[in-house]
Amino acid sequence: MTYVLVTGGAGYIGSHACKALKIAGYTPVTYDNLVTGWKDAVKFGPFEEGALSDRTRLDAVFAKYQPVAVMHFAALSQVGEAMSEPGRYWRNNVEGSLTLIEAAAAAGCLNFVFSSTCATYGEHDNVVLDENTPQEPLNAYGASKRAVENILRDFEAAYGLRHVIFRYFNVAGADEAGEVGEYHRPETHLIPVMLEAIDGKRPALTINGTDYDTPDGTCIRDYVHVMDLVDAHVLGLKWLEAGKGSRVFNLGTGKGFSVREVIDASRAVTNREVPHSEGPRRAGDATKLVSGSTRAEAELGWEPKRSTMAQMIGDAWNWHLNGHYDG
Ligand code: UDP
């Protein structure tokens, strides 16, 4: 068995990554504390419950499986929460990641794939966001991810720990087969919140700000299908296993959708009205985050096949109607 340690494997993106790893012939070992993840989402390999801060537990898991690589998804990831509780973000995302990275280096597991974010870029007017864009995050979430990127660079210099850093744009959709999906409690992300409003599970979607400097006044984001995103991770793992050097890749499609455009697309896909109201801006939000890089396509051979807005909303809707976790 070729094991890959997947932190956050019980969460949204991590569980989809476990599926992609299994299909690619690896055995994903989920390491998760189940604070935001679900045991029901662990379907593709062994589960080891534990916290990133628990070095003894991490050492035991590295010794037990001797994984060829780490894929590190476990993190707190909500912009709103990061603004009101920055300490939790620094402690969990930075201190927790540091403990994991130290354990990996000590175990000689020197291939590391890291989930970073376009939130590390911050606000840049009329600038194409590529991997060389200066990182000036607007919130503790982006700042915590940028800090971990820097830790990885230091650990490469000191211990030869090689990394692939993926800076995600907005991840959406669900496994087409419906085995795993997006399930946060509480839910804060645009598409699942909107689907809950469509389905009467909440009164309405509130648009966070309508006075941005964009054509329709709402924020613009670049949405990528979660199964396309995790395909890139498998390619990143193979890149490291082939002995290629540490590298940063944006993962987005290069197409921007405003919040109002996502609402319109959801109405079209579900054939239902989207109850919504207009509210104030959410602190920490950048006006526009759209990838301006094709490095992942050019160098990894990544091909986003499912990242149309219609398919992302369709797969999320299918999961919303048919899938859920109990625990
Ligand atoms: N958004 C919104 N209402 C909501 C949730 C999100 O208007 O109930 C907006 C949010 O302010 C941002 C975009 O939708 O402009 C995407 O937000 P999300 O939280 O899904 O992802 P983020 O960009 O924070 O990673």
Side-chain angles (χ1 to χ4, degrees):
M1 295 257 196
T2 307
Y3 291 108
V4 174
L5 186 67
V6 182
T7 73
Y12 170 41
I13 301 171
S15 61
H16 289 76
C18 288
K19 176 160 182 164
L21 284 166
K22 177 94 184 288
I23 291 168
Y26 298 91
T27 302
V29 179
T30 289
Y31 187 85
D32 200 297
N33 63 1
L34 299 182
V35 169
T36 56
W38 304 91
K39 197 153 188 275
D40 286 358
V42 183
K43 299 185 169 179
F44 309 103
F47 176 53
E48 297 286 348
E49 188 167 349
L52 291 178
S53 57
D54 188 344
R55 175 65 192 269
T56 308
R57 181 91 182 97
L58 282 168
D59 286 346
V61 171
F62 275 107
K64 180 171 171 187
Y65 297 98
Q66 309 205 342
V68 293
V70 177
M71 279 193 190
H72 178 33
F73 297 95
L76 298 172
S77 63
Q78 292 175 25
V79 169
E81 198 179 71
M83 295 301 290
S84 56
E85 298 172 74
R88 273 183 74 208
Y89 277 68
W90 283 99
R91 187 160 299 107
N92 183 80
N93 291 3
V94 182
E95 208 176 297
S97 297
L98 175 58
T99 306
L100 171 70
I101 292 165
E102 286 178 323
C109 179
L110 299 179
N111 295 325
F112 201 98
V113 179
F114 178 55
S115 308
S116 188
T117 169
C118 64
T120 60
Y121 293 125
E123 187 89 40
H124 296 272
D125 283 344
N126 302 317
V127 171
V128 169
L129 298 179
D130 66 21
E131 292 83 355
N132 297 316
T133 302
Q135 292 175 287
E136 294 159 4
L138 298 181
N139 53 63
Y141 168 56
S144 69
K145 292 285 187 173
R146 181 185 59 178
V148 178
E149 292 192 12
N150 290 334
I151 291 171
L152 286 170
R153 293 192 183 98
D154 289 345
F155 273 68
E156 173 167 33
Y159 307 109
L161 184 119
R162 288 168 314 121
H163 55 262
V164 162
I165 292 169
F166 287 118
R167 294 189 189 137
Y168 307 161
F169 284 70
N170 284 58
V171 188
D175 167 29
E176 305 94 310
E179 283 190 281
V180 281
E182 181 168 16
Y183 201 70
H184 298 110
R185 287 294 173 271
E187 187 54 77
T188 64
H189 291 106
L190 178 61
I191 291 175
V193 164
M194 194 165 42
L195 298 180
E196 287 177 13
I198 290 174
D199 201 22
K201 298 259 158 56
R202 65 170 71 218
L205 163 78
T206 304
I207 300 179
N208 295 333
T210 52
D211 60 346
Y212 284 96
D213 184 17
T214 61
D216 68 20
T218 64
C219 285
I220 293 177
R221 296 286 181 272
D222 176 341
Y223 293 84
V224 55
H225 195 295
V226 63
M227 290 306 292
D228 284 339
L229 185 98
V230 298
D231 279 354
H233 287 64
V234 174
L235 294 168
L237 170 58
K238 290 182 190 280
W239 168 283
L240 289 172
E241 285 192 298
K244 297 183 183 172
S246 296
R247 199 76 170 132
V248 179
F249 298 97
N250 277 1
L251 292 179
T253 66
K255 289 195 206 77
F257 290 83
S258 71
V259 174
R260 289 195 207 279
E261 286 172 329
V262 177
I263 292 174
D264 290 344
S266 299
R267 189 183 297 113
V269 169
T270 62
N271 217 7
R272 303 236 208 134
E273 276 313 307
V274 184
H276 64 276
S277 60
E278 298 183 358
R281 291 183 178 202
R282 183 177 72 178
D285 258 345
T287 305
K288 180 177 175 183
L289 291 167
V290 177
S291 179
S293 166
T294 53
R295 183 187 283 181
E297 286 92 332
E299 297 187 14
L300 288 177
W302 182 52
E303 211 188 323
K305 300 185 189 91
R306 317 153 177 99
S307 293
T308 61
M309 188 50 75
Q311 174 153 2
M312 289 185 281
I313 293 171
D315 289 340
W317 183 233
N318 179 45
W319 167 257
H320 172 84
L321 294 176
N322 301 310
H324 66 279
Y325 302 129
D326 294 318

